[in-house]
Amino acid sequence: MDTAHLEQARLEAERAGLTLRADEQGLALSDGAMTVRGDFTRQAQRIRQGALQREMLVKAARVKGVESPLAIDATAGLGDDSLLLAAAGFRVVLFERNPVIAALLRDTIERAAQHPEFADIAARMQLVEENSIDALPHLDAQPDVVLLDPMFPAKHGDARAKKKLQLLQRLEQPCEDEEALLDAAFAARPRKIVVKRPLKGPCLANRTPSYSLKGKTIRYDCYVIAPASQ
């Protein structure tokens, strides 16, 4: 990560009353009481082949007849969902608009690239520091899948997840214009749009999906897009 981008991220963190610092474990964000950092190695069990194919996201994003599908993670955050897709063989372009979160994510990908178990996966991940609403209608390549994960409140009883989300939301609020986000995803002309939602939450922008996959606390709404006629 270049010095100029890192310094910009540190200043942005300071404006939110947070500290962005590097230590022996990589880049970390702290409010003095809690520290957040990206770490793909914590997901090692999830990317084992047997477990990976059972992941709802991998099932939801699956496309037929494409050897190396292209996925766009339009709301990348700390990249855990992108990791699953990259481990499943997708080439993944990650969009993150906030410079602090982008710095954490870039550091996470760079550290993963040095890890024997994660190097090939990290090589399939490309980070773009930009607002995906602006970028999606103008992509150079037509993606197979666009993943949308607007932030939503952590489930009751998960105190650490709530605190982590609250820390990140001091930098970046949940999407204020859900319709613009979904419209931008459609403008990218993918085969499928996959939206992560709370299990009982409303559909994004109140638009009914083609189908949904449901888990215990979340669901994936899938919008299948018919190819344009020639």
Coordinates of all heavy atoms in Angstrom, one line a residue, residues 13 23 28 30 54 62 64 80 107 111-112 122 126 132 145 147 155 158 178-179 181 192 195 202 212 214 216 225:
A13 N -9.7 8.4 9.4 CA -10.0 7.7 10.7 C -10.0 8.6 11.9 O -10.8 8.6 12.7 CB -9.0 6.5 10.9
D23 N 0.7 -2.9 13.0 CA 1.5 -3.6 13.9 C 2.0 -4.9 13.3 O 1.8 -5.1 12.1 CB 0.7 -3.9 15.2 CG -0.6 -4.7 15.0 OD1 -0.7 -5.4 14.0 OD2 -1.5 -4.5 15.8
A28 N -4.7 -2.1 11.6 CA -5.9 -2.3 12.5 C -6.5 -0.9 12.7 O -5.9 0.1 12.7 CB -5.4 -2.9 13.8
S30 N -8.9 1.1 15.5 CA -9.3 1.0 17.0 C -10.0 2.3 17.5 O -9.7 3.4 17.0 CB -8.0 0.8 17.8 OG -8.3 0.8 19.2
R54 N -21.1 -25.8 0.5 CA -22.3 -25.7 1.3 C -22.7 -24.3 1.7 O -23.7 -24.0 2.2 CB -22.2 -26.6 2.6 CG -22.2 -28.1 2.3 CD -22.4 -28.8 3.6 NE -21.3 -28.6 4.6 CZ -20.2 -29.3 4.6 NH1 -20.0 -30.3 3.8 NH2 -19.3 -29.1 5.6
R62 N -23.7 -19.2 -7.9 CA -23.2 -20.1 -8.9 C -23.9 -19.8 -10.3 O -25.1 -19.5 -10.4 CB -23.7 -21.5 -8.4 CG -23.1 -22.7 -9.3 CD -23.4 -24.0 -8.6 NE -22.7 -24.1 -7.3 CZ -23.2 -24.7 -6.3 NH1 -24.5 -25.1 -6.2 NH2 -22.5 -24.8 -5.2
K64 N -23.8 -21.3 -14.5 CA -23.5 -22.5 -15.3 C -22.8 -22.1 -16.5 O -23.0 -21.1 -17.1 CB -24.8 -23.3 -15.6 CG -25.6 -23.8 -14.4 CD -26.8 -24.6 -14.9 CE -27.6 -25.1 -13.7 NZ -28.8 -25.8 -14.1
D80 N -15.0 -10.5 3.5 CA -15.2 -11.9 3.8 C -16.1 -12.6 2.7 O -15.8 -13.8 2.4 CB -15.9 -12.0 5.2 CG -14.9 -11.7 6.3 OD1 -13.7 -11.7 6.1 OD2 -15.4 -11.5 7.4
D107 N -4.8 -4.2 2.9 CA -3.8 -4.8 3.7 C -4.1 -6.3 3.9 O -3.2 -7.2 3.9 CB -3.7 -4.1 5.1 CG -2.8 -4.8 6.1 OD1 -1.6 -4.7 5.9 OD2 -3.3 -5.4 7.0
R111 N -1.7 -9.4 2.8 CA -1.2 -10.4 3.7 C -1.6 -11.8 3.3 O -0.8 -12.7 3.4 CB -1.7 -10.1 5.2 CG -1.0 -9.0 5.9 CD -1.4 -8.8 7.3 NE -2.7 -8.1 7.4 CZ -3.8 -8.6 7.8 NH1 -3.8 -9.9 8.2 NH2 -4.9 -7.9 7.9
A112 N -2.9 -11.9 2.8 CA -3.3 -13.2 2.3 C -2.5 -13.7 1.1 O -2.2 -14.9 1.0 CB -4.8 -13.1 1.9
A122 N -6.2 -15.0 -3.1 CA -5.9 -13.5 -3.1 C -5.6 -13.0 -4.5 O -6.0 -11.9 -4.9 CB -4.8 -13.2 -2.2
Q126 N -9.4 -8.3 -6.8 CA -8.9 -7.0 -7.2 C -9.7 -5.9 -6.5 O -10.9 -5.8 -6.7 CB -8.9 -6.8 -8.7 CG -8.5 -5.4 -9.2 CD -8.9 -5.2 -10.7 OE1 -9.3 -6.1 -11.4 NE2 -8.7 -4.0 -11.1
S132 N -19.4 2.1 -5.9 CA -19.8 1.2 -7.0 C -21.1 1.7 -7.7 O -21.3 1.4 -8.8 CB -20.1 -0.2 -6.3 OG -21.1 -0.1 -5.4
V145 N -21.8 -12.1 -12.1 CA -22.6 -11.9 -10.8 C -22.2 -10.6 -10.2 O -21.1 -10.2 -10.2 CB -22.3 -13.0 -9.8 CG1 -23.0 -12.8 -8.5 CG2 -22.7 -14.4 -10.4
L147 N -22.7 -8.9 -6.4 CA -23.1 -9.1 -5.0 C -23.3 -7.8 -4.4 O -22.5 -6.9 -4.4 CB -22.0 -9.9 -4.3 CG -22.2 -10.0 -2.8 CD1 -23.5 -10.8 -2.5 CD2 -21.0 -10.7 -2.2
K155 N -27.4 -9.3 14.5 CA -28.5 -10.0 15.2 C -28.4 -9.8 16.7 O -27.4 -9.6 17.3 CB -28.5 -11.5 14.9 CG -27.3 -12.2 15.4 CD -27.3 -13.7 14.9 CE -26.1 -14.4 15.4 NZ -26.1 -15.8 15.1
D158 N -25.5 -10.9 19.6 CA -24.1 -11.0 19.1 C -23.4 -9.7 19.4 O -23.3 -8.8 18.6 CB -24.2 -11.3 17.6 CG -22.8 -11.7 17.0 OD1 -21.8 -11.5 17.7 OD2 -22.8 -12.1 15.9
E178 N -31.0 2.7 -1.7 CA -31.0 1.3 -2.1 C -31.5 1.2 -3.5 O -30.9 0.3 -4.2 CB -32.0 0.5 -1.2 CG -31.5 0.5 0.3 CD -32.4 -0.4 1.1 OE1 -33.5 -0.7 0.7 OE2 -32.0 -0.8 2.2
E179 N -32.4 2.0 -4.0 CA -32.8 1.9 -5.4 C -31.7 2.3 -6.3 O -31.5 1.6 -7.4 CB -34.0 2.9 -5.6 CG -34.7 2.7 -6.9 CD -36.0 3.3 -7.0 OE1 -36.6 3.8 -6.0 OE2 -36.6 3.4 -8.2
L181 N -28.5 1.8 -5.8 CA -27.6 0.7 -5.7 C -28.0 -0.4 -6.6 O -27.3 -1.0 -7.4 CB -27.4 0.3 -4.3 CG -26.4 -0.9 -4.1 CD1 -25.0 -0.5 -4.5 CD2 -26.4 -1.3 -2.6
K192 N -26.7 -12.4 -13.1 CA -27.4 -12.6 -11.8 C -26.9 -11.5 -10.8 O -25.8 -11.1 -10.8 CB -27.1 -14.0 -11.2 CG -27.9 -14.3 -9.9 CD -27.3 -15.6 -9.3 CE -27.7 -16.8 -10.2 NZ -27.2 -18.1 -9.5
V195 N -28.3 -10.5 -3.5 CA -28.4 -9.5 -2.4 C -28.5 -10.1 -1.1 O -29.4 -11.0 -0.9 CB -29.6 -8.5 -2.7 CG1 -29.6 -7.4 -1.6 CG2 -29.6 -7.9 -4.1
P202 N -37.1 -6.6 4.5 CA -37.7 -6.3 3.2 C -36.7 -6.6 2.1 O -35.5 -6.5 2.3 CB -38.1 -4.9 3.3 CG -37.1 -4.3 4.3 CD -36.9 -5.3 5.3
S212 N -35.1 -16.9 -3.7 CA -34.3 -16.6 -2.5 C -33.8 -17.9 -1.9 O -34.5 -18.9 -2.0 CB -35.1 -15.8 -1.4 OG -35.5 -14.6 -1.9
K214 N -32.6 -19.2 1.9 CA -32.8 -18.8 3.2 C -32.0 -19.6 4.2 O -32.0 -20.8 4.1 CB -34.3 -18.8 3.6 CG -35.1 -17.9 2.8 CD -36.6 -18.0 3.2 CE -37.5 -17.0 2.4 NZ -38.9 -17.1 2.8
K216 N -30.6 -19.4 8.7 CA -31.2 -19.2 10.0 C -31.4 -17.7 10.3 O -32.3 -17.3 10.9 CB -30.3 -19.8 11.1 CG -30.3 -21.3 11.0 CD -29.5 -21.9 12.1 CE -29.5 -23.4 12.1 NZ -28.6 -24.0 13.2
I225 N -31.2 -12.3 -14.6 CA -31.4 -11.3 -15.7 C -31.3 -12.1 -17.0 O -30.3 -12.7 -17.3 CB -30.4 -10.2 -15.6 CG1 -30.5 -9.5 -14.3 CG2 -30.5 -9.2 -16.8 CD1 -29.4 -8.5 -14.0

